[in-house]
Amino acid sequence: ASNYKAIGKNSLVASVDIETASGYIFRGVLFHRRDGKRWVQVPSREYPKQDGTRGFVPVVEFVTTEKWQAFNAACLAAIDKLVASVPLEPGGAA
């Protein structure tokens, strides 16, 4: 994890970049926390719905729940490691 940018809006804690062991870099992964739970959200693309509201579709999808859970756990571990090793701006603690 790198490029931690604190956001602090509702459940949204920060945006981070995630580099995977296979060499992919996911820019702008959103880190959320609420009610003792933590998760990440992959980048998504906004589109206008027919009713005039905004919809979002993920740019990346996972073929199984297990693969998503493994990615989420690895991201959270990487974010924890980053937060522990780099001084963050006030209010940016994970």
Side-chain angles (χ1 to χ4, degrees):
S2 62
N3 200 24
Y4 185 103
K5 294 180 183 172
I7 297 173
K9 182 178 179 184
N10 298 320
S11 69
L12 183 55
V13 176
S15 170
V16 297
D17 294 342
I18 298 291
E19 182 175 349
T20 67
S22 56
Y24 295 103
I25 297 175
F26 294 88
R27 304 234 183 253
V29 172
L30 300 177
F31 169 43
H32 291 266
R33 179 179 53 217
R34 178 179 285 157
D35 299 330
K37 296 180 182 178
R38 301 177 335 137
W39 68 96
V40 297
Q41 177 183 354
V42 294
S44 59
R45 185 175 342 162
E46 182 179 342
Y47 68 94
K49 291 181 167 183
Q50 289 184 346
D51 65 5
T53 60
R54 299 181 314 167
F56 296 89
V57 62
V59 175
V60 177
E61 292 187 41
F62 296 86
V63 293
T64 66
T65 300
E66 292 78 16
K67 290 196 182 290
W68 159 247
Q69 290 170 338
F71 178 81
N72 189 63
C75 287
L76 293 174
I79 291 167
D80 289 343
K81 185 176 178 181
L82 176 65
V83 168
S85 68
V86 177
L88 300 173
E89 297 176 16

